[in-house]
Amino acid sequence: MKNTLAVSSPPNDLLLKLNLLIRLRWGGIFLLFILLSYSLAFWEQGALIYPLLFLLGLTLLFNIALHLDLRKRHTAKKIIKMLNLQFYFDIFFYLFIFHFTGGTGSPFFILLLFPAISATIVFQPPGSYFRAGATLLMFGLILYGETNWHMNPPFLMIISMKEKTILLFIALTGSLLLSVYLTANLVQHLRQRFKKLVALQENLKRSYFETVMGLAQAMEAKEPAIREHFERTILYATLIGKRLGLDDENMEYLRFGAVLHDIGKIGIAKNILTKPAKLTPEEHEQIKKHPGIGAHIINGVEFLKKVKPIILQHHERYDGKGYPQGLKGEEISFLARIMSVVDAYDAMTSDRPYAKAKSREKAIEELIREKGKQFDPGITDTFLEILREM
Ligand code: FE
């Protein structure tokens, strides 16, 4: 067998073709084998030895071809590793059956080749564990059928009753053990698939966050201090969200909202945004457009659909005197009500172009004063609790 696998030379052309043939035309090959093997089974027994040996050889070749991708170069070490235990188990298994079914004179193991070959071809590695399971199961069933339902020759025609009983026991026990093994294997396989899926999802989430941060960078061009603002906003919003028991999904929206709530300021003139004095009523009207512009910017971005209310409503007031829609109380999205409190608190405690930062105590006083007016009372209480602990 080792000679056939020219270890360090390029893949043998014949094997390469066989490999591809099996992969692409397995159905045709399988049918051919059924015909060939059946005609062999009805032949005179003495003449069976050479075709049977040929079939055995071919089955082993199938195994090699399926275990190795012959289009690639392989080192001896790699080949041994790739052929793995399954392969050696196959050889042992075939020889075992060969011996116990009456050696070279038995037509029985032709039957064994059907499930073995078909399962090998259908369930390509790593699913090839099924091959051994399917083989044993078929083997057990045939034996069981022969013993209990008196199936006619050519099946098992030269196996003595004693050998049949031993084989039946071995086959059924083997089938059971393999079923357990296969199930465990399948579970492990599914678990790995699941892990991969989770990793993929994490990756997607990270890309989402990077996209959002990219959008945020566009805002930095207009308001250089905005990064620190939304970093603190993320922190406060996350703390409130956690304490209020928000689920992972809503926490994610809240974080995105914290970064993007002022994205609409991209559409407001820089001189208004950075004006070091009180704004005129006209300028104030301009500023009031930023939630609407922001919502418009992210409109149509599927993963930001639930973030849109945060952007659009973060300047709404609990008493209905906010903008742009004048929504009141619970008409305002819950996440937007959280954003409203943390955004206002951070604005108060930061230096703005038109005003110096308030002290933490003054800002807390303001939160208490506006509780139930500008801000949702429950959320404000939660935030005050957090601030006192900080
Ligand atoms: Fe804003």
Side-chain angles (χ1 to χ4, degrees), residues 229 261-263 265 287 290-291 311 314-315 323 343:
H229 168 57
H261 66 277
D262 275 341
I263 184 89
K265 284 188 178 170
I287 285 275
H290 81 271
I311 299 174
H314 74 278
H315 283 290
Y323 65 88
D343 185 35

Side-chain angles (χ1 to χ4, degrees), residues 32-49:
L32 207 72
F33 260 80
I34 291 177
L35 287 173
L36 184 68
S37 304
Y38 259 98
S39 48
L40 282 175
F42 284 103
W43 273 5
E44 202 188 318
Q45 274 172 37
L48 280 177
I49 177 164

Side-chain angles (χ1 to χ4, degrees), residues 92-110:
F92 177 75
F93 185 67
Y94 289 128
L95 290 176
F96 177 79
I97 298 304
F98 190 66
H99 177 74
F100 276 96
T101 52
T104 51
S106 165
F108 176 75
F109 91 103
I110 294 178

Side-chain angles (χ1 to χ4, degrees), residues 334-351:
F334 186 66
L335 299 181
R337 277 179 270 153
I338 296 179
M339 197 53 57
S340 158
V341 184
V342 297
D343 185 35
Y345 176 79
D346 193 64
M348 286 188 276
T349 51
S350 312
D351 283 328

